[in-house]
Amino acid sequence: MGTQTRRKRPTIIGACALVVIAALVSLYCWWNTTVLGAESFCDGRVDSGDVRQALDSPGRVSEVLVRAASSGPEFECSVERTSRFVGGENQRLSLTTAAEKGAFPFTTGVWKNPAARSYFKDGVAGAVSETGGYVVLPRACWETVGGLRGNRVAGQGEGTVAAVEATVERGSADRAGLAHLLRQTARKVAEEAGCGTPEQARTSGLSAPSGPHDTAARSVCGLPGFSLPANALVKGVADVGREQVNSGTSHTWACDLDLAGTGNAGVSFVATSDAAVVAAALQDPDALRKLPGNTGSAATGQAVLHCEGGDTYFGARWNTGYEGVLLDSTHHSAAEYAQVRRATFQSFLDAAAESRACPRVDLSAV
């Protein structure tokens, strides 16, 4: 009996070892791969393969939040990539339908640094970065697709712009992967709403922003004749510094100015003939005023001009640091502050409009 026991002991130990190894392998697969994972998320609107492509790192992808309209395509959803053993920060990506106002990618602080984004070259209006992105839904969707506020659909209707937006709340995303994810999700949302178009199914390249470089004082953003007015600069606080330009698509040009000095000041400029952005800017009739001579419409920091190649949107957005600098330099005079901003935008518009064969306009009455 003793001999038989000694012979069985190694067999039992080996079997136990195999069980432990199998358990560890199972745990590894569960924590670090998509084996036996969900094939889709967000009530079927998002494919798991597209999420993995966007996050582009090993780990397990799971859904952590989903809310959807009781009837309609509106939804909010968050997915998370987690991993054990292999290291790496957990990633979280949120997707949502949204009802926006005007040329939202260039007018709000939510979408910073337009020159640093990668824009879709054709097919749909949109852009991505490592921290998020958006796709504007077809025009026919604007009055039928809204956003969610809790369990209530909000913003749906006249005067809004429908979009699908992504925010990377933890970690970073692969630009090409995120672009594919957004396009696919936007296509499904539009089809569900009955407003899809063939263009949504087309593949599209992405523009690549240039690297930052020093700004030429008399050719800001590479535009001959564009210079910042003297009262738009404050020595040692907000002075000519560095810029990043994006001209990688035929429709959208953008420039981010990082002003030198202690004011943490920056301003971004954009010009785009993208039909969706132009239409979005004109959605709110109170936002832009018509200019004389049927040349277009304008407001402080925005304009849509009737150019030879078609209507073009021009915009400028100051960051909070630069706004504070200008308010201090004008002693918080609303009139002087507005004059500085108007003069800066006028200088940009004169140079950018000429480069796109647009009419020269006077913003003094805006």
Side-chain angles (χ1 to χ4, degrees):
M1 290 294 292
T3 302
Q4 290 179 347
T5 301
R6 284 194 296 271
R7 289 175 179 173
K8 289 181 179 178
R9 190 172 296 157
T11 303
I12 294 172
I13 293 173
C16 291
L18 289 175
V19 171
V20 171
I21 292 171
L24 290 174
V25 170
S26 296
L27 283 173
Y28 179 87
C29 290
W30 179 258
W31 280 331
N32 297 282
T33 72
T34 56
V35 173
L36 300 178
E39 294 184 359
S40 65
F41 303 108
C42 310
D43 286 347
R45 295 180 177 88
V46 179
D47 292 337
S48 61
D50 292 342
V51 174
R52 293 195 299 272
Q53 185 179 351
L55 297 180
D56 193 31
S57 61
R60 187 137 191 108
V61 179
S62 58
E63 185 177 271
V64 294
L65 169 70
V66 61
R67 280 196 292 261
S70 57
S71 60
E74 293 82 9
F75 78 99
E76 295 176 339
C77 182
S78 294
V79 293
E80 191 171 63
R81 183 216 58 99
T82 56
S83 66
R84 304 287 177 86
F85 308 133
V86 296
E89 181 185 7
N90 290 348
Q91 296 170 282
R92 178 172 289 190
L93 172 67
S94 293
L95 289 155
T96 182
T97 54
E100 300 284 5
K101 288 283 190 180
F104 69 94
F106 308 112
T107 58
T108 70
V110 174
W111 305 103
K112 298 178 174 65
N113 306 118
R117 305 173 199 158
S118 291
Y119 293 89
F120 293 99
K121 290 186 175 181
D122 50 35
V124 298
V128 293
S129 70
E130 286 81 5
T131 59
Y134 61 90
V135 165
V136 179
L137 291 172
R139 182 76 179 272
C141 300
W142 291 6
E143 293 189 11
T144 58
V145 179
L148 282 183
R149 292 180 183 170
N151 294 320
R152 183 173 64 89
V153 176
Q156 182 187 71
E158 187 177 355
T160 60
V161 180
V164 174
E165 300 175 0
T167 303
V168 183
E169 297 172 355
R170 297 178 190 165
S172 62
D174 173 78
R175 291 194 180 207
L178 184 59
H180 178 76
L181 171 65
L182 274 168
R183 285 182 66 101
Q184 292 296 97
T185 306
R187 179 179 59 81
K188 292 180 181 180
V189 168
E191 288 176 352
E192 187 177 349
C195 52
T197 63
E199 287 76 17
Q200 286 187 291
R202 292 167 54 190
T203 58
S204 173
L206 290 173
S207 66
S210 69
H213 55 271
D214 290 341
T215 297
R218 299 186 180 277
S219 187
V220 174
C221 296
L223 294 175
F226 177 29
S227 60
L228 298 178
N231 56 1
L233 300 172
V234 179
K235 187 173 180 61
V237 180
D239 215 330
V240 175
R242 292 174 65 79
E243 65 188 34
Q244 183 173 24
V245 177
N246 190 327
S247 56
T249 71
S250 60
H251 52 75
T252 299
W253 172 98
C255 175
D256 297 328
L257 286 184
D258 183 13
L259 299 179
T262 60
N264 191 29
V267 56
S268 296
F269 301 96
V270 64
T272 179
S273 58
D274 190 303
V277 176
V278 172
L282 296 172
Q283 276 285 96
D284 184 357
D286 297 326
L288 301 175
R289 297 180 182 178
K290 288 189 176 181
L291 294 166
N294 192 33
T295 53
S297 303
T300 302
Q302 293 189 87
V304 173
L305 301 184
H306 304 320
C307 308
E308 287 185 9
D311 285 359
T312 302
Y313 171 83
F314 299 88
R317 193 185 70 80
W318 287 253
N319 71 358
T320 54
Y322 196 21
E323 288 178 343
V325 168
L326 293 180
L327 285 170
D328 288 343
S329 68
T330 58
H331 306 289
H332 289 260
S333 166
E336 290 184 31
Y337 171 76
Q339 191 278 327
V340 174
R341 290 188 54 152
R342 185 184 300 109
T344 302
F345 186 53
Q346 181 77 70
S347 181
F348 162 67
L349 194 58
D350 289 345
E354 183 176 352
S355 71
R356 288 178 171 250
C358 304
R360 188 181 181 91
V361 299
D362 183 1
L363 301 176
S364 60
V366 174

